[in-house]
Amino acid sequence: MSERLPARMRALATELTKLREAAGLTTRQAATRLDQSIATLNRTENARRTATVAEVSAMLAIYGVVGAERKRIMALVDELNTPRWLGIDTDPQRPTLPIFESEAVSIVNFAPCTVPGLLQTPAYARAITSLGQTTELHEAMIAARLDRQKVLARLVAPQYVAILDEAALRRAQGGSAVMVEQINWLIDMAKRPNIALHVIPFRHGGYHNPGYFSLLEFPKAPPIVYVEHSLVSGFLDAPEDTQAFRAHTASLIQASLGCADSVNFLTKMAADHERG
């Protein structure tokens, strides 16, 4: 599919569905209370129609959603058709990214500086998120990140391709022992049939670096790109944006080692950290 289906609209549809289920209501029960047809509610929950502000407000009231959670969801409604959903997500407990990861059939992840979140060990995640601190916020971020990883172990898991720059593997985040554990975990993950790892070694020279991104493909909806930088993260859903990142993916794969050679490279890298 090439038409645009706004990321906010898709996220809203999934969240409204989960909130209805959490309230213990069937679609028939919710539709009756909303004075809607079941078909209308189903189209809203499948992101096939745009619910009005009044409709979403009524849904949240029926589902018992109040306070900051209600404010956050209503903000989604106000900006449904705004392109390039970019901003700062300060709530590690309710990220939107896992919604899309759970619905994707394939995920391509490029990580130029750190190991991607779906492949991080707890110790590595703690090292790069807390920088030695152990605040409640950092622990929540780590827990949310590790919970996301369950998507790769599902019975029907997405095909996952991770492209890592050698820099992400060589920098000793948390110390040598943490890196040895992390790299050995990557080697184990590469054995799974749905996971492919590619490393771009320094010796391959320069290449175009688009920054950290995930390209997510879906069975019945257009792709979405997640981008992440130091001050901003978010989603791109316009066809020209997703096509550009498909081209980036092809270029990065061409610059990287094949899967088998990448695993051999990881083995040598683990040995280097052990000596360090």
Side-chain angles (χ1 to χ4, degrees), residues 1 3 31 85-86 89 109 115 122 147 161 176-177 185 187 210 215 225 234 238 265 271 276:
M1 299 177 65
E3 73 273 15
W85 182 9
L86 301 172
D89 187 358
N109 201 178
V115 173
D147 190 61
V161 178
S176 296
W185 177 243
I187 294 170
L215 172 61
V225 176
F265 186 90

Side-chain angles (χ1 to χ4, degrees), residues 62-273:
I62 291 170
Y63 304 159
V65 181
V66 297
E69 184 74 345
R70 183 185 186 281
K71 182 178 179 180
R72 182 183 66 81
I73 292 175
M74 293 306 298
L76 277 180
V77 183
D78 290 337
E79 301 177 347
L80 277 184
N81 292 305
T82 304
R84 296 179 172 171
W85 182 9
L86 301 172
I88 299 175
D89 187 358
T90 59
D91 184 357
Q93 302 283 22
R94 297 287 299 180
T96 304
L97 180 59
I99 292 175
F100 294 130
E101 289 174 336
S102 68
E103 297 172 348
V105 293
S106 72
I107 302 170
V108 175
N109 201 178
F110 171 59
C113 299
T114 60
V115 173
L118 289 177
L119 297 176
Q120 292 175 7
T121 63
Y124 183 92
R126 184 165 286 105
I128 66 170
T129 58
S130 67
L131 298 177
Q133 303 176 47
T134 56
T135 66
E136 183 177 340
L137 176 60
H138 287 132
E139 290 304 311
M141 291 174 62
I142 294 164
R145 184 166 302 183
L146 298 178
D147 190 61
R148 283 174 49 214
Q149 297 177 359
K150 296 176 183 177
V151 71
L152 296 181
R154 293 186 320 196
L155 185 61
V156 182
Q159 293 297 312
Y160 179 69
V161 178
I163 308 168
L164 290 76
D165 191 288
E166 180 178 341
L169 302 167
R170 191 164 291 282
R171 187 174 299 280
Q173 304 278 9
S176 296
V178 169
M179 289 305 300
V180 170
E181 178 189 42
Q182 175 62 75
I183 293 172
N184 284 333
W185 177 243
L186 292 176
I187 294 170
D188 287 341
M189 293 293 281
K191 297 174 184 177
R192 297 187 181 184
N194 63 309
I195 295 177
L197 298 185
H198 293 272
V199 176
I200 304 177
F202 291 156
R203 68 174 185 267
H204 280 193
Y207 63 93
H208 174 66
N209 181 348
Y212 187 101
F213 74 87
S214 291
L215 172 61
L216 301 101
E217 304 271 359
F218 305 89
K220 297 181 180 180
I224 285 177
V225 176
Y226 171 75
V227 293
E228 181 179 298
H229 298 280
S230 61
L231 296 177
V232 66
S233 64
F235 302 93
L236 310 177
D237 53 44
E240 59 269 26
D241 290 329
T242 56
Q243 187 56 41
F245 277 89
R246 280 176 171 156
H248 290 325
T249 296
S251 177
L252 292 167
I253 291 289
Q254 187 174 19
S256 68
L257 298 169
C259 293
D261 288 340
S262 292
V263 170
N264 290 336
F265 186 90
L266 289 169
T267 301
K268 295 176 182 177
M269 186 67 66
D272 287 348
H273 282 293

